[in-house]
mmCIF file of all heavy atoms in Angstrom:
data_model
loop_
_atom_site.group_PDB
_atom_site.id
_atom_site.type_symbol
_atom_site.label_atom_id
_atom_site.label_comp_id
_atom_site.label_asym_id
_atom_site.label_seq_id
_atom_site.Cartn_x
_atom_site.Cartn_y
_atom_site.Cartn_z
ATOM 1 N N LEU A 1 12.123 -8.528 15.223
ATOM 2 C CA LEU A 1 11.869 -8.042 16.652
ATOM 3 C C LEU A 1 12.904 -7.044 17.220
ATOM 4 O O LEU A 1 12.593 -6.288 18.007
ATOM 5 C CB LEU A 1 11.851 -9.339 17.537
ATOM 6 C CG LEU A 1 10.692 -10.301 17.514
ATOM 7 C CD1 LEU A 1 10.760 -11.224 18.611
ATOM 8 C CD2 LEU A 1 9.395 -9.590 17.335
ATOM 9 N N THR A 2 14.157 -7.113 16.651
ATOM 10 C CA THR A 2 15.213 -6.387 17.258
ATOM 11 C C THR A 2 15.846 -5.631 16.316
ATOM 12 O O THR A 2 16.613 -6.155 15.290
ATOM 13 C CB THR A 2 16.223 -7.326 18.066
ATOM 14 O OG1 THR A 2 15.411 -8.172 18.905
ATOM 15 C CG2 THR A 2 17.204 -6.531 18.792
ATOM 16 N N GLY A 3 15.871 -4.291 16.388
ATOM 17 C CA GLY A 3 16.622 -3.529 15.424
ATOM 18 C C GLY A 3 18.186 -3.425 15.909
ATOM 19 O O GLY A 3 18.510 -3.769 16.939
ATOM 20 N N ASP A 4 18.962 -2.869 14.985
ATOM 21 C CA ASP A 4 20.325 -2.654 15.187
ATOM 22 C C ASP A 4 20.897 -1.464 14.395
ATOM 23 O O ASP A 4 20.107 -1.002 13.454
ATOM 24 C CB ASP A 4 21.138 -3.865 14.799
ATOM 25 C CG ASP A 4 22.417 -4.094 15.545
ATOM 26 O OD1 ASP A 4 22.847 -3.128 16.238
ATOM 27 O OD2 ASP A 4 22.954 -5.176 15.589
ATOM 28 N N GLN A 5 21.990 -1.033 14.608
ATOM 29 C CA GLN A 5 22.660 0.016 13.906
ATOM 30 C C GLN A 5 22.569 -0.117 12.403
ATOM 31 O O GLN A 5 23.172 -1.231 11.877
ATOM 32 C CB GLN A 5 23.993 0.322 14.353
ATOM 33 C CG GLN A 5 24.574 1.592 13.768
ATOM 34 C CD GLN A 5 24.099 2.911 14.259
ATOM 35 O OE1 GLN A 5 23.635 2.875 15.415
ATOM 36 N NE2 GLN A 5 24.019 3.950 13.476
ATOM 37 N N GLY A 6 21.874 0.639 11.689
ATOM 38 C CA GLY A 6 21.749 0.504 10.208
ATOM 39 C C GLY A 6 20.740 -0.491 9.815
ATOM 40 O O GLY A 6 20.608 -0.745 8.556
ATOM 41 N N ASP A 7 19.989 -1.250 10.718
ATOM 42 C CA ASP A 7 18.986 -2.128 10.454
ATOM 43 C C ASP A 7 17.682 -1.803 10.978
ATOM 44 O O ASP A 7 17.480 -1.795 12.087
ATOM 45 C CB ASP A 7 19.348 -3.543 10.879
ATOM 46 C CG ASP A 7 18.344 -4.669 10.508
ATOM 47 O OD1 ASP A 7 17.432 -4.404 9.884
ATOM 48 O OD2 ASP A 7 18.653 -5.827 10.788
ATOM 49 N N ASP A 8 16.756 -1.208 10.050
ATOM 50 C CA ASP A 8 15.545 -0.476 10.508
ATOM 51 C C ASP A 8 14.211 -1.317 10.214
ATOM 52 O O ASP A 8 13.228 -0.811 10.405
ATOM 53 C CB ASP A 8 15.461 0.882 9.918
ATOM 54 C CG ASP A 8 16.573 1.772 10.178
ATOM 55 O OD1 ASP A 8 16.916 1.809 11.457
ATOM 56 O OD2 ASP A 8 17.153 2.510 9.425
ATOM 57 N N LEU A 9 14.314 -2.584 9.970
ATOM 58 C CA LEU A 9 13.214 -3.378 9.542
ATOM 59 C C LEU A 9 12.232 -3.343 10.741
ATOM 60 O O LEU A 9 10.970 -3.275 10.498
ATOM 61 C CB LEU A 9 13.640 -4.728 9.220
ATOM 62 C CG LEU A 9 12.572 -5.775 8.945
ATOM 63 C CD1 LEU A 9 11.640 -5.261 7.760
ATOM 64 C CD2 LEU A 9 12.953 -7.182 8.783
ATOM 65 N N VAL A 10 12.748 -3.473 11.976
ATOM 66 C CA VAL A 10 11.864 -3.533 13.048
ATOM 67 C C VAL A 10 10.818 -2.380 13.114
ATOM 68 O O VAL A 10 9.637 -2.502 13.593
ATOM 69 C CB VAL A 10 12.635 -3.646 14.439
ATOM 70 C CG1 VAL A 10 13.499 -2.378 14.606
ATOM 71 C CG2 VAL A 10 11.815 -3.977 15.560
ATOM 72 N N TYR A 11 11.306 -1.206 12.772
ATOM 73 C CA TYR A 11 10.388 0.064 12.878
ATOM 74 C C TYR A 11 9.258 -0.134 11.844
ATOM 75 O O TYR A 11 8.179 0.290 12.088
ATOM 76 C CB TYR A 11 11.277 1.288 12.684
ATOM 77 C CG TYR A 11 12.337 1.353 13.761
ATOM 78 C CD1 TYR A 11 13.739 1.242 13.228
ATOM 79 C CD2 TYR A 11 12.078 1.710 15.024
ATOM 80 C CE1 TYR A 11 14.726 1.403 14.079
ATOM 81 C CE2 TYR A 11 13.129 1.657 15.948
ATOM 82 C CZ TYR A 11 14.436 1.571 15.414
ATOM 83 O OH TYR A 11 15.479 1.645 16.495
ATOM 84 N N GLN A 12 9.606 -0.696 10.718
ATOM 85 C CA GLN A 12 8.564 -0.822 9.627
ATOM 86 C C GLN A 12 7.498 -1.932 10.065
ATOM 87 O O GLN A 12 6.336 -1.677 9.920
ATOM 88 C CB GLN A 12 9.254 -1.389 8.342
ATOM 89 C CG GLN A 12 10.156 -0.247 7.729
ATOM 90 C CD GLN A 12 10.839 -0.910 6.515
ATOM 91 O OE1 GLN A 12 11.905 -1.370 6.500
ATOM 92 N NE2 GLN A 12 10.133 -0.919 5.341
ATOM 93 N N VAL A 13 7.891 -3.006 10.631
ATOM 94 C CA VAL A 13 6.940 -4.036 11.025
ATOM 95 C C VAL A 13 6.098 -3.708 12.219
ATOM 96 O O VAL A 13 5.062 -4.174 12.339
ATOM 97 C CB VAL A 13 7.626 -5.349 11.030
ATOM 98 C CG1 VAL A 13 8.364 -5.943 9.879
ATOM 99 C CG2 VAL A 13 8.511 -5.457 12.396
ATOM 100 N N TYR A 14 6.584 -2.727 12.904
ATOM 101 C CA TYR A 14 5.750 -2.385 14.181
ATOM 102 C C TYR A 14 4.809 -1.267 13.963
ATOM 103 O O TYR A 14 3.764 -1.124 14.734
ATOM 104 C CB TYR A 14 6.758 -1.965 15.395
ATOM 105 C CG TYR A 14 7.045 -3.092 16.286
ATOM 106 C CD1 TYR A 14 8.247 -3.874 16.179
ATOM 107 C CD2 TYR A 14 6.111 -3.532 17.286
ATOM 108 C CE1 TYR A 14 8.529 -4.890 17.074
ATOM 109 C CE2 TYR A 14 6.369 -4.483 18.106
ATOM 110 C CZ TYR A 14 7.645 -5.238 17.985
ATOM 111 O OH TYR A 14 7.895 -6.386 18.790
ATOM 112 N N LEU A 15 5.015 -0.442 12.901
ATOM 113 C CA LEU A 15 4.099 0.664 12.717
ATOM 114 C C LEU A 15 2.688 0.301 12.688
ATOM 115 O O LEU A 15 1.746 0.791 13.187
ATOM 116 C CB LEU A 15 4.511 1.530 11.555
ATOM 117 C CG LEU A 15 3.835 2.827 11.312
ATOM 118 C CD1 LEU A 15 3.918 3.763 12.583
ATOM 119 C CD2 LEU A 15 4.199 3.545 10.059
ATOM 120 N N PRO A 16 2.241 -0.756 11.816
ATOM 121 C CA PRO A 16 0.887 -1.060 11.719
ATOM 122 C C PRO A 16 0.311 -1.552 13.222
ATOM 123 O O PRO A 16 -0.899 -1.109 13.367
ATOM 124 C CB PRO A 16 0.924 -2.289 10.763
ATOM 125 C CG PRO A 16 2.118 -2.063 9.885
ATOM 126 C CD PRO A 16 3.122 -1.455 10.828
ATOM 127 N N VAL A 17 1.064 -2.158 13.950
ATOM 128 C CA VAL A 17 0.437 -2.640 15.190
ATOM 129 C C VAL A 17 0.276 -1.250 16.144
ATOM 130 O O VAL A 17 -0.589 -1.268 16.954
ATOM 131 C CB VAL A 17 1.267 -3.656 15.869
ATOM 132 C CG1 VAL A 17 2.547 -3.184 16.548
ATOM 133 C CG2 VAL A 17 0.493 -4.334 16.923
ATOM 134 N N TYR A 18 1.227 -0.366 15.970
ATOM 135 C CA TYR A 18 1.043 0.917 16.727
ATOM 136 C C TYR A 18 -0.323 1.615 16.361
ATOM 137 O O TYR A 18 -0.936 2.038 17.258
ATOM 138 C CB TYR A 18 2.138 1.901 16.310
ATOM 139 C CG TYR A 18 3.561 1.621 16.835
ATOM 140 C CD1 TYR A 18 4.640 2.280 16.358
ATOM 141 C CD2 TYR A 18 3.781 0.552 17.695
ATOM 142 C CE1 TYR A 18 5.983 2.036 16.754
ATOM 143 C CE2 TYR A 18 5.068 0.200 18.079
ATOM 144 C CZ TYR A 18 6.182 0.938 17.661
ATOM 145 O OH TYR A 18 7.474 0.671 18.095
ATOM 146 N N ALA A 19 -0.594 1.519 15.127
ATOM 147 C CA ALA A 19 -1.856 2.144 14.596
ATOM 148 C C ALA A 19 -3.015 1.375 15.233
ATOM 149 O O ALA A 19 -3.955 2.111 15.674
ATOM 150 C CB ALA A 19 -2.006 2.029 13.007
ATOM 151 N N ALA A 20 -3.037 0.104 15.204
ATOM 152 C CA ALA A 20 -4.103 -0.792 15.862
ATOM 153 C C ALA A 20 -4.215 -0.401 17.374
ATOM 154 O O ALA A 20 -5.393 -0.272 17.813
ATOM 155 C CB ALA A 20 -3.893 -2.282 15.628
ATOM 156 N N VAL A 21 -3.134 -0.330 17.994
ATOM 157 C CA VAL A 21 -3.257 -0.045 19.509
ATOM 158 C C VAL A 21 -3.733 1.356 19.830
ATOM 159 O O VAL A 21 -4.547 1.527 20.730
ATOM 160 C CB VAL A 21 -1.856 -0.358 20.182
ATOM 161 C CG1 VAL A 21 -1.864 0.119 21.708
ATOM 162 C CG2 VAL A 21 -1.544 -1.818 20.026
ATOM 163 N N ALA A 22 -3.160 2.311 19.065
ATOM 164 C CA ALA A 22 -3.654 3.686 19.203
ATOM 165 C C ALA A 22 -5.070 3.816 18.969
ATOM 166 O O ALA A 22 -5.822 4.595 19.721
ATOM 167 C CB ALA A 22 -2.764 4.619 18.502
ATOM 168 N N HIS A 23 -5.591 3.086 18.009
ATOM 169 C CA HIS A 23 -7.059 3.207 17.606
ATOM 170 C C HIS A 23 -7.780 2.661 18.835
ATOM 171 O O HIS A 23 -8.896 3.169 19.240
ATOM 172 C CB HIS A 23 -7.291 2.432 16.346
ATOM 173 C CG HIS A 23 -8.708 2.483 15.908
ATOM 174 N ND1 HIS A 23 -9.677 1.641 16.398
ATOM 175 C CD2 HIS A 23 -9.338 3.217 15.062
ATOM 176 C CE1 HIS A 23 -10.765 1.922 16.005
ATOM 177 N NE2 HIS A 23 -10.631 2.886 14.908
ATOM 178 N N PHE A 24 -7.319 1.496 19.402
ATOM 179 C CA PHE A 24 -8.049 0.894 20.454
ATOM 180 C C PHE A 24 -8.160 1.846 21.711
ATOM 181 O O PHE A 24 -9.242 1.877 22.381
ATOM 182 C CB PHE A 24 -7.383 -0.348 20.924
ATOM 183 C CG PHE A 24 -8.015 -1.125 22.113
ATOM 184 C CD1 PHE A 24 -9.078 -1.919 22.036
ATOM 185 C CD2 PHE A 24 -7.498 -0.848 23.465
ATOM 186 C CE1 PHE A 24 -9.771 -2.546 23.090
ATOM 187 C CE2 PHE A 24 -8.150 -1.475 24.560
ATOM 188 C CZ PHE A 24 -9.279 -2.375 24.387
ATOM 189 N N HIS A 25 -7.177 2.595 21.956
ATOM 190 C CA HIS A 25 -7.172 3.527 23.114
ATOM 191 C C HIS A 25 -7.764 4.883 22.800
ATOM 192 O O HIS A 25 -7.551 5.828 23.611
ATOM 193 C CB HIS A 25 -5.726 3.577 23.710
ATOM 194 C CG HIS A 25 -5.271 2.317 24.385
ATOM 195 N ND1 HIS A 25 -5.787 1.934 25.629
ATOM 196 C CD2 HIS A 25 -4.390 1.438 23.991
ATOM 197 C CE1 HIS A 25 -5.148 0.790 25.929
ATOM 198 N NE2 HIS A 25 -4.388 0.463 25.087
ATOM 199 N N GLY A 26 -8.288 5.083 21.604
ATOM 200 C CA GLY A 26 -8.977 6.303 21.296
ATOM 201 C C GLY A 26 -8.134 7.386 20.845
ATOM 202 O O GLY A 26 -8.457 8.495 20.613
ATOM 203 N N LYS A 27 -6.832 7.044 20.467
ATOM 204 C CA LYS A 27 -5.901 8.135 20.040
ATOM 205 C C LYS A 27 -6.050 8.312 18.556
ATOM 206 O O LYS A 27 -5.606 9.402 18.007
ATOM 207 C CB LYS A 27 -4.389 7.709 20.329
ATOM 208 C CG LYS A 27 -4.096 7.495 21.863
ATOM 209 C CD LYS A 27 -4.185 8.872 22.540
ATOM 210 C CE LYS A 27 -3.829 8.793 24.014
ATOM 211 N NZ LYS A 27 -3.885 10.051 24.652
ATOM 212 N N LEU A 28 -6.641 7.394 17.789
ATOM 213 C CA LEU A 28 -6.841 7.593 16.367
ATOM 214 C C LEU A 28 -8.301 7.248 16.152
ATOM 215 O O LEU A 28 -8.880 6.407 16.774
ATOM 216 C CB LEU A 28 -5.898 6.692 15.518
ATOM 217 C CG LEU A 28 -4.399 6.899 15.742
ATOM 218 C CD1 LEU A 28 -3.644 5.972 14.900
ATOM 219 C CD2 LEU A 28 -3.917 8.279 15.450
ATOM 220 N N LYS A 29 -8.843 7.952 15.143
ATOM 221 C CA LYS A 29 -10.253 7.729 14.720
ATOM 222 C C LYS A 29 -10.375 6.961 13.393
ATOM 223 O O LYS A 29 -9.293 6.693 12.692
ATOM 224 C CB LYS A 29 -10.928 8.975 14.783
ATOM 225 C CG LYS A 29 -10.930 9.813 15.937
ATOM 226 C CD LYS A 29 -11.531 9.074 17.061
ATOM 227 C CE LYS A 29 -11.431 9.948 18.456
ATOM 228 N NZ LYS A 29 -11.956 9.166 19.543
ATOM 229 N N GLY A 30 -11.631 6.639 12.984
ATOM 230 C CA GLY A 30 -11.850 5.985 11.679
ATOM 231 C C GLY A 30 -11.904 4.376 11.814
ATOM 232 O O GLY A 30 -11.982 3.804 12.935
ATOM 233 N N ASP A 31 -11.955 3.800 10.685
ATOM 234 C CA ASP A 31 -12.069 2.376 10.534
ATOM 235 C C ASP A 31 -10.647 1.705 10.779
ATOM 236 O O ASP A 31 -9.623 2.041 10.264
ATOM 237 C CB ASP A 31 -12.476 1.902 9.108
ATOM 238 C CG ASP A 31 -12.483 0.453 9.029
ATOM 239 O OD1 ASP A 31 -13.486 -0.202 9.518
ATOM 240 O OD2 ASP A 31 -11.567 -0.104 8.480
ATOM 241 N N ARG A 32 -10.681 0.856 11.812
ATOM 242 C CA ARG A 32 -9.353 0.316 12.300
ATOM 243 C C ARG A 32 -8.521 -0.351 11.282
ATOM 244 O O ARG A 32 -7.378 -0.206 11.035
ATOM 245 C CB ARG A 32 -9.551 -0.562 13.403
ATOM 246 C CG ARG A 32 -8.234 -1.093 14.046
ATOM 247 C CD ARG A 32 -8.412 -2.442 14.956
ATOM 248 N NE ARG A 32 -9.052 -3.502 14.065
ATOM 249 C CZ ARG A 32 -9.334 -4.706 14.518
ATOM 250 N NH1 ARG A 32 -9.291 -4.904 15.827
ATOM 251 N NH2 ARG A 32 -9.879 -5.569 13.738
ATOM 252 N N ASP A 33 -9.339 -1.343 10.554
ATOM 253 C CA ASP A 33 -8.696 -2.195 9.612
ATOM 254 C C ASP A 33 -8.252 -1.354 8.307
ATOM 255 O O ASP A 33 -7.056 -1.599 7.898
ATOM 256 C CB ASP A 33 -9.595 -3.229 9.058
ATOM 257 C CG ASP A 33 -9.968 -4.258 10.231
ATOM 258 O OD1 ASP A 33 -9.193 -4.284 11.263
ATOM 259 O OD2 ASP A 33 -10.957 -5.039 9.947
ATOM 260 N N ALA A 34 -8.834 -0.325 7.960
ATOM 261 C CA ALA A 34 -8.375 0.604 6.988
ATOM 262 C C ALA A 34 -7.134 1.333 7.418
ATOM 263 O O ALA A 34 -6.282 1.544 6.650
ATOM 264 C CB ALA A 34 -9.582 1.521 6.567
ATOM 265 N N LEU A 35 -7.157 1.703 8.653
ATOM 266 C CA LEU A 35 -6.093 2.487 9.228
ATOM 267 C C LEU A 35 -4.746 1.590 9.204
ATOM 268 O O LEU A 35 -3.740 1.965 8.870
ATOM 269 C CB LEU A 35 -6.421 2.936 10.595
ATOM 270 C CG LEU A 35 -5.279 3.796 11.262
ATOM 271 C CD1 LEU A 35 -5.021 5.103 10.787
ATOM 272 C CD2 LEU A 35 -5.690 3.873 12.761
ATOM 273 N N ILE A 36 -4.899 0.314 9.600
ATOM 274 C CA ILE A 36 -3.858 -0.577 9.596
ATOM 275 C C ILE A 36 -3.228 -0.800 8.194
ATOM 276 O O ILE A 36 -2.116 -0.850 8.018
ATOM 277 C CB ILE A 36 -4.253 -1.990 10.186
ATOM 278 C CG1 ILE A 36 -4.587 -1.882 11.698
ATOM 279 C CG2 ILE A 36 -3.283 -3.016 10.133
ATOM 280 C CD1 ILE A 36 -5.310 -3.059 12.326
ATOM 281 N N GLU A 37 -4.082 -0.933 7.292
ATOM 282 C CA GLU A 37 -3.609 -1.127 5.959
ATOM 283 C C GLU A 37 -2.912 0.070 5.291
ATOM 284 O O GLU A 37 -1.908 0.018 4.792
ATOM 285 C CB GLU A 37 -4.830 -1.455 4.953
ATOM 286 C CG GLU A 37 -4.507 -1.885 3.578
ATOM 287 C CD GLU A 37 -3.526 -3.038 3.463
ATOM 288 O OE1 GLU A 37 -3.567 -3.957 4.325
ATOM 289 O OE2 GLU A 37 -2.618 -3.053 2.561
ATOM 290 N N GLU A 38 -3.495 1.203 5.668
ATOM 291 C CA GLU A 38 -2.756 2.599 5.269
ATOM 292 C C GLU A 38 -1.340 2.693 5.905
ATOM 293 O O GLU A 38 -0.357 2.952 5.354
ATOM 294 C CB GLU A 38 -3.557 3.654 5.704
ATOM 295 C CG GLU A 38 -4.827 4.042 4.754
ATOM 296 C CD GLU A 38 -5.617 5.091 5.255
ATOM 297 O OE1 GLU A 38 -5.013 6.136 5.742
ATOM 298 O OE2 GLU A 38 -6.897 5.092 5.215
ATOM 299 N N ALA A 39 -1.282 2.352 7.154
ATOM 300 C CA ALA A 39 0.004 2.220 7.936
ATOM 301 C C ALA A 39 0.960 1.294 7.342
ATOM 302 O O ALA A 39 2.196 1.567 7.247
ATOM 303 C CB ALA A 39 -0.324 1.900 9.483
ATOM 304 N N ARG A 40 0.380 0.141 6.895
ATOM 305 C CA ARG A 40 1.312 -0.931 6.356
ATOM 306 C C ARG A 40 1.882 -0.384 4.909
ATOM 307 O O ARG A 40 2.994 -0.559 4.742
ATOM 308 C CB ARG A 40 0.513 -2.175 6.092
ATOM 309 C CG ARG A 40 1.311 -3.315 5.471
ATOM 310 C CD ARG A 40 0.528 -4.560 5.409
ATOM 311 N NE ARG A 40 0.165 -5.072 6.850
ATOM 312 C CZ ARG A 40 -1.078 -5.334 7.228
ATOM 313 N NH1 ARG A 40 -2.168 -4.914 6.391
ATOM 314 N NH2 ARG A 40 -1.269 -5.744 8.542
ATOM 315 N N LYS A 41 1.008 0.233 4.136
ATOM 316 C CA LYS A 41 1.451 0.741 2.916
ATOM 317 C C LYS A 41 2.569 1.808 3.013
ATOM 318 O O LYS A 41 3.545 1.928 2.356
ATOM 319 C CB LYS A 41 0.268 1.171 2.133
ATOM 320 C CG LYS A 41 -0.681 0.118 1.614
ATOM 321 C CD LYS A 41 -1.801 0.695 0.707
ATOM 322 C CE LYS A 41 -2.613 -0.430 0.218
ATOM 323 N NZ LYS A 41 -3.873 0.219 -0.589
ATOM 324 N N PHE A 42 2.310 2.681 3.974
ATOM 325 C CA PHE A 42 3.184 3.747 4.290
ATOM 326 C C PHE A 42 4.534 3.313 4.869
ATOM 327 O O PHE A 42 5.610 3.589 4.470
ATOM 328 C CB PHE A 42 2.696 4.829 5.278
ATOM 329 C CG PHE A 42 3.619 5.894 5.846
ATOM 330 C CD1 PHE A 42 3.964 6.812 4.832
ATOM 331 C CD2 PHE A 42 4.052 5.837 7.055
ATOM 332 C CE1 PHE A 42 5.032 7.797 5.325
ATOM 333 C CE2 PHE A 42 4.922 6.798 7.530
ATOM 334 C CZ PHE A 42 5.362 7.784 6.674
ATOM 335 N N SER A 43 4.390 2.215 5.744
ATOM 336 C CA SER A 43 5.617 1.606 6.441
ATOM 337 C C SER A 43 6.531 0.987 5.364
ATOM 338 O O SER A 43 7.755 1.159 5.477
ATOM 339 C CB SER A 43 5.162 0.587 7.402
ATOM 340 O OG SER A 43 6.291 0.242 8.263
ATOM 341 N N PHE A 44 5.974 0.221 4.372
ATOM 342 C CA PHE A 44 6.885 -0.338 3.464
ATOM 343 C C PHE A 44 7.034 0.453 2.136
ATOM 344 O O PHE A 44 7.462 -0.118 1.103
ATOM 345 C CB PHE A 44 6.242 -1.862 3.130
ATOM 346 C CG PHE A 44 6.416 -2.788 4.281
ATOM 347 C CD1 PHE A 44 5.306 -2.977 5.260
ATOM 348 C CD2 PHE A 44 7.677 -3.380 4.549
ATOM 349 C CE1 PHE A 44 5.535 -3.769 6.234
ATOM 350 C CE2 PHE A 44 7.776 -4.284 5.497
ATOM 351 C CZ PHE A 44 6.770 -4.373 6.461
ATOM 352 N N GLY A 45 6.437 1.737 2.229
ATOM 353 C CA GLY A 45 6.668 2.596 1.029
ATOM 354 C C GLY A 45 7.511 3.749 1.393
ATOM 355 O O GLY A 45 8.818 3.661 1.551
#
């Protein structure tokens, strides 16, 4: 939940939910679940 200097895990775990929220508000298109999975792979890759 909380990042710190040199600890960036929080940014990785939040990216998939950013994708889901942006999709809900019409900022991103396509299949939501597929978008979340792509964001997850990118985040941890």
